[in-house]
Amino acid sequence: MNPFNYNEAFSRNLGWITSEEQSTLRSKRIAIAGMGGVGFDHMVRMARLGVANFTLSDLDVFEQVNFNRQYGATMSTVGQPKVDVAESVLRSINPEVDVRSLKDGVTEDNHDEFMADVDINNDSLDFFALDIRRAVFERCRELDA
């Protein structure tokens, strides 16, 4: 088996982004709250762009009812925490990835931890999670993330 080589793995991004931009992507930390139908897909796309630092949050496990719309939902992942499956997928794309996971979701008590060192917040919370969304957005404004 060949060892992982970041530059080779993401070399085909060059041309539509520069090598400097690729280095920037590698160094940024992306926060994604929600590993369902939106967040998981965005996470995979960003990992394939070469983003190498993620903070993930979800309090749910995969179920068969997720099969129609959620990337991580398969028979082998039923019953597994979504953040664990997400981390496994990230490591299969880039074994050097730095992943921080919050298995209790984002809450008023941990949203500072969730936003620690984050450069970009990708809002993937359920549409009805208004209170925590407001708290995270406020923290984003404070951090300029």
Side-chain angles (χ1 to χ4, degrees):
M1 184 169 166
N2 292 330
F4 180 75
N5 180 307
Y6 179 93
N7 291 329
E8 182 178 347
F10 304 107
S11 64
R12 295 211 175 162
N13 293 340
L14 302 179
W16 59 285
I17 64 172
T18 67
S19 59
E20 293 79 19
E21 290 166 331
Q22 187 68 62
S23 292
T24 298
L25 285 173
R26 186 179 193 177
S27 69
K28 296 299 181 186
R29 176 165 295 279
I30 308 296
I32 307 173
M35 290 286 98
V38 174
F40 208 113
D41 286 353
H42 289 180
M43 178 201 73
V44 169
R45 300 283 182 246
M46 286 185 265
R48 293 196 184 284
L49 282 171
V51 173
N53 304 288
F54 291 87
T55 300
L56 309 176
S57 176
D58 200 301
L59 50 79
D60 205 0
V61 298
F62 281 113
E63 301 175 68
Q64 287 188 42
V65 296
N66 303 134
F67 282 16
N68 70 321
R69 68 194 180 286
Q70 296 186 15
Y71 180 98
T74 65
M75 286 304 293
S76 66
T77 64
V78 168
Q80 292 184 32
K82 291 180 179 182
V83 292
D84 289 351
V85 174
E87 182 171 347
S88 178
V89 168
L90 284 173
R91 292 196 186 291
S92 71
I93 295 168
N94 177 355
E96 298 173 351
V97 71
D98 178 43
V99 182
R100 299 177 191 163
S101 296
L102 283 75
K103 291 183 182 182
D104 295 324
V106 179
T107 67
E108 292 284 342
D109 295 331
N110 72 8
H111 74 283
D112 284 336
E113 176 186 358
F114 177 71
M115 293 300 297
D117 304 317
V118 165
D119 297 293
I120 298 170
N121 176 53
N122 181 317
D123 177 28
S124 299
L125 289 164
D126 287 326
F127 69 92
F128 53 81
L130 296 177
D131 291 341
I132 194 59
R133 177 175 278 122
R134 285 184 189 109
V136 169
F137 283 2
E138 179 59 32
R139 193 70 181 123
C140 287
R141 276 191 291 280
E142 292 169 4
L143 297 172
D144 197 27

